[in-house]
Amino acid sequence: MIQPIKAVFPGSFDPITNGHMDVLSRACKLFPEVTLAVLQNQRKASKNLFTIEERLEMLRKATEHLPNVRVEAFGGLLVEYMRERGATVILRGLRAVSDYEYELQIAHLNRQMNPDVETVFIMAATRWSYVSSSMVKEIASYGSKEVSKMVPPASAEALVKKFAEQQ
Ligand code: ADP
């Protein structure tokens, strides 16, 4: 018998954008449980604008309306984290061919480490395919309000607060 599939959407979400939200809300129609697994990576920590606690709070606010979404931090190997949670699907978004090469390698590696794990890709919506967390941070750093069109309100608020603190 096929068990209800638990999916995990891993990422930095620094911050979460409308592109991530689109992938997530579409995945919620496919899987009974989707966990946003926020990468707590020591090596990448200095590259992140938001702390892990700030990102968890932002993500919880942004996904309040999605009942089958959980938000958690994770470190270490993704496949180990999934094994512990009984999750078998890794969810990733694809924006362009440039994402594909990297994603293909990671998907193969993860399946090599745990053959029960499948990576499922959701194509980015055309309207958000140009949006990335790094571009959003760049635009927000100049104080532009345009980012509020590219991110959920929880991210927009967090960006304004963060750049005000840095002034
Ligand atoms: P990572 O640091 O793991 O790349 P990100 O938070 O940047 O984490 O992205 C997480 C996932 O969301 C990746 O699969 C990425 O391709 C996807 N993604 C990022 N931006 C978008 C977007 N605008 N539309 C759809 N998917 C996206």
Side-chain angles (χ1 to χ4, degrees):
M1 199 179 95
I2 298 176
Q3 298 292 323
I5 298 170
K6 290 184 184 175
V8 170
F9 186 11
S12 309
F13 306 109
D14 186 54
I16 190 162
T17 69
N18 286 347
H20 296 129
M21 289 299 295
D22 175 67
V23 168
L24 180 65
S25 54
R26 286 158 65 195
C28 282
K29 296 179 192 152
L30 302 174
F31 304 104
E33 184 184 300
V34 183
T35 300
L36 272 179
V38 192
L39 187 62
Q40 198 173 13
N41 185 333
Q42 292 309 329
R43 272 183 298 117
K44 270 178 101 180
S46 57
K47 287 195 198 146
N48 290 329
L49 177 65
F50 295 100
T51 64
I52 187 75
E53 291 78 17
E54 287 168 336
R55 282 179 285 151
L56 290 172
E57 191 190 335
M58 175 200 306
L59 266 62
R60 288 195 175 115
K61 271 196 215 164
T63 58
E64 261 171 355
H65 61 292
L66 296 167
N68 49 339
V69 170
R70 304 163 61 106
V71 177
E72 282 180 5
F74 91 99
L77 276 181
L78 178 62
V79 286
E80 282 309 317
Y81 166 79
M82 292 182 62
R83 223 190 289 267
E84 283 160 22
R85 298 205 83 266
T88 50
V89 163
I90 301 174
L91 185 70
R92 296 287 286 177
L94 280 182
R95 285 163 292 188
V97 179
S98 49
D99 281 339
Y100 179 78
E101 246 176 279
Y102 171 76
E103 295 291 347
L104 183 71
Q105 186 183 11
I106 302 287
H108 282 314
L109 280 171
N110 282 328
R111 216 161 98 80
Q112 177 68 39
M113 289 188 279
N114 183 349
D116 293 331
V117 156
E118 286 293 346
T119 303
V120 170
F121 295 103
I122 290 194
M123 302 300 153
T126 359
R127 65 183 298 218
W128 305 123
S129 61
Y130 64 92
V131 173
S132 67
S133 296
S134 52
M135 288 302 162
V136 159
K137 283 183 276 194
E138 177 84 14
I139 297 167
S141 72
Y142 297 112
S144 172
K145 298 275 178 290
E146 285 300 305
V147 285
S148 58
K149 296 176 189 163
M150 303 171 203
V151 299
S155 297
E157 280 162 30
L159 283 163
V160 168
K161 193 164 162 239
K162 180 62 76 177
F163 286 111
E165 280 167 12
Q166 289 187 353
Q167 301 265 299

